[in-house]
Amino acid sequence: MEIRMLYEPNSPQKEITLKIKTLVIDEADPANLADDLERLLARAMEDGELSEKEVDRMLEFDEADEIELCTEARIGTNENGQIEISYRENEDDPQLATLSKIIFHPDHKELLAMSKQGSISTVLSFEEGKMHVCAYDTPFMPFKVYVETNRLDNKLLEKGKLKLDYILNLNDTPPQHFVITVTAKETPEDPLKDL
């Protein structure tokens, strides 16, 4: 059976629809949460369908937030041969409006970058089992951001799926744990067709 690719590298840009689920976990004491987090992450990586209540129950604390974004996006190949998926966030608020991109090379999907350009700009790099030091530019001053990737499962081209689990440290603030699931689908020519 032939697998139909979401996008063939070096093809013309095309419109897609993105669904991005972000689970944010504030970790007061990561050592005490290790067993619960291991169960949660195994479950999230299997199917990516966890409700906030289910996460709270599994972790037995109420410091988890789930954010979901559904948006139109464009996928294409940039001048460096990398795949770029670009989309806009917070367009209704000029101070928060952001152009976001997911960037990776089709031959090296184990390394992925996420960039955000707006009043606050950053490029975060993800590589499973490694820590990357990145910059977080604000109108006041830039900050160092430490990104430790626990899991990166990039099947965006083949299956339209990305699963990312990482811990972000910004200066002296407590670390935040993120689990992100991205689902990409071709945008139908007639959006009303599927209704």
Side-chain angles (χ1 to χ4, degrees):
M1 183 173 128
E2 184 179 329
I3 296 175
R4 183 164 183 232
M5 302 279 282
L6 174 71
Y7 175 77
E8 291 284 347
N10 300 313
S11 298
Q13 272 194 351
K14 72 178 189 180
E15 301 286 329
I16 59 173
T17 302
L18 287 183
K19 182 177 180 182
I20 303 170
K21 282 188 176 181
T22 304
L23 180 66
V24 184
I25 304 167
D26 290 327
E27 295 188 39
D29 186 356
N32 291 339
L33 298 174
D35 291 339
D36 288 336
L37 283 174
E38 187 175 325
R39 284 195 335 266
L40 169 67
L41 295 174
R43 178 86 189 288
M45 290 301 166
E46 282 176 23
D47 59 21
E49 299 297 325
L50 290 173
S51 71
E52 186 176 339
K53 286 181 182 178
E54 188 175 3
V55 170
D56 291 346
R57 191 179 69 250
M58 287 177 73
L59 297 177
E60 296 179 358
F61 75 115
D62 58 1
E63 297 297 322
D65 292 313
E66 185 174 89
I67 303 160
E68 187 170 310
L69 171 68
C70 292
T71 187
E72 299 301 310
R74 293 188 68 79
I75 187 169
T77 306
N78 68 18
E79 63 278 359
N80 298 321
Q82 297 168 313
I83 304 300
E84 279 191 5
I85 299 173
S86 58
Y87 56 98
R88 298 203 174 271
E89 296 181 78
N90 304 314
E91 289 185 281
D92 297 339
D93 186 340
Q95 292 186 342
L96 297 176
T98 305
L99 173 63
S100 299
K101 293 181 181 179
I102 299 170
I103 306 164
F104 60 93
H105 194 281
D107 296 331
H108 303 286
K109 293 183 290 185
E110 70 279 359
L111 178 61
L112 181 131
M114 286 185 162
S115 76
K116 297 197 179 286
Q117 297 171 339
S119 59
I120 295 174
S121 298
T122 188
V123 177
L124 301 179
S125 298
F126 304 94
E127 191 172 7
E128 190 169 315
K130 296 189 178 178
M131 180 181 291
H132 286 267
V133 180
C134 307
Y136 199 82
D137 292 323
T138 71
F140 311 106
M141 64 185 292
F143 294 97
K144 281 185 183 177
V145 179
Y146 300 89
V147 180
E148 184 177 355
T149 306
N150 299 321
R151 175 96 186 259
L152 170 60
D153 186 15
N154 182 357
K155 292 187 175 71
L156 279 167
L157 295 179
E158 302 87 352
K159 297 183 178 180
K161 300 275 186 186
L162 169 67
K163 293 181 182 178
L164 182 60
D165 166 20
Y166 66 97
I167 296 174
L168 185 130
N169 281 289
L170 175 66
N171 288 344
D172 295 328
T173 62
Q176 283 196 304
H177 194 151
F178 294 84
V179 178
I180 296 177
T181 304
V182 178
T183 305
K185 294 182 179 179
E186 289 188 31
T187 303
E189 289 183 27
D190 179 4
L192 300 176
K193 182 180 174 184
D194 292 335
L195 293 179

